[in-house]
Amino acid sequence: VARLDPIKDHPTFLQAAALLARKCQDVKFVCVGDGAAAYQKELKSLSEQLGLKEKVLWPGAARGNMRAIYNAMDIATSSSKAEGFSNVIAEAMACGVPCVVSDVGDSAMIVNNPACVVPREDPAALSEAWAGVLNLTEEQRQQLRQNATRRIAEEFSVRSLVEKTETSLLNLLR
């Protein structure tokens, strides 16, 4: 769920998808977002070259009920080459969606789960992290979903951010 932009590194995402699809026949992938027509065409061509034509959905820009979009996913992914604070990852986690992310910007700190953080531009590691999440028991997946939601609520809610800012400012006065 992001714009289709080279910085988001969809080629790594697609290469990882091809690796996982070879092991798990029943997986599907979704690239939600919009971007330059030439880049979209390039990505769709790459997905076809990788044998993913029937495995990848391209619904376009995210509009409407974001909660429904996130909750349609088993895993949300950011394969970005660079990031600041990833709103997409925080939103997905707030909806209880486990996230696998490349280790850029604040992504690892947001997810706070080493098994779900991979080096950037590493399709094999991304594919393996997805497989790790998919191979969890239902109870373990439920725990992962609960942990994601709890982490966002406790660490990144408006209340938490106000309290942390207030504490930091008061510490400056001491």
Side-chain angles (χ1 to χ4, degrees):
V1 181
R3 67 190 185 282
L4 299 181
D5 183 281
I7 199 72
K8 300 299 184 182
D9 198 10
H10 290 85
T12 290
F13 176 88
L14 294 170
Q15 291 164 9
L19 292 171
L20 185 64
R22 287 184 200 122
K23 297 178 192 173
C24 305
Q25 296 299 311
D26 61 344
V27 294
K28 294 278 187 182
F29 304 89
V30 182
C31 291
V32 180
D34 207 358
Y39 189 60
Q40 289 183 53
K41 185 176 179 181
E42 182 182 320
L43 292 175
K44 289 177 183 179
S45 175
L46 176 60
S47 73
E48 288 181 26
Q49 290 170 22
L50 293 168
L52 295 170
K53 184 174 180 166
E54 304 301 319
K55 296 276 185 186
V56 180
L57 304 173
W58 303 90
R63 292 186 178 88
N65 186 346
M66 292 306 297
R67 184 186 248 348
I69 291 169
Y70 287 119
N71 286 328
M73 300 175 190
D74 292 316
I75 303 170
T77 300
S78 172
S79 58
S80 291
K81 295 179 185 180
E83 267 308 329
F85 183 93
S86 176
N87 289 330
V88 168
I89 294 305
E91 291 169 358
M93 289 174 64
C95 292
V97 180
C99 296
V100 173
V101 300
S102 55
D103 192 3
V104 297
D106 290 336
S107 297
M109 181 267 302
I110 297 167
V111 172
N112 195 38
N113 180 344
C116 293
V117 178
V118 301
R120 68 183 222 156
E121 299 179 86
D122 189 339
L126 184 56
S127 177
E128 287 301 314
W130 287 336
V133 173
L134 294 174
N135 287 326
L136 294 173
T137 65
E138 183 54 39
E139 185 178 311
Q140 291 169 321
R141 277 195 300 276
Q142 182 62 27
Q143 187 64 49
L144 192 59
R145 289 189 286 270
Q146 289 171 354
N147 289 346
T149 303
R150 183 175 31 256
R151 175 145 179 83
I152 295 303
E154 290 175 0
E155 297 295 324
F156 303 106
S157 67
V158 171
R159 171 188 267 163
S160 174
L161 295 176
V162 167
E163 289 172 359
K164 289 175 183 178
T165 301
E166 184 178 71
T167 299
S168 294
L169 292 173
L170 289 173
N171 285 336
L172 289 174
L173 297 175
R174 293 185 183 145

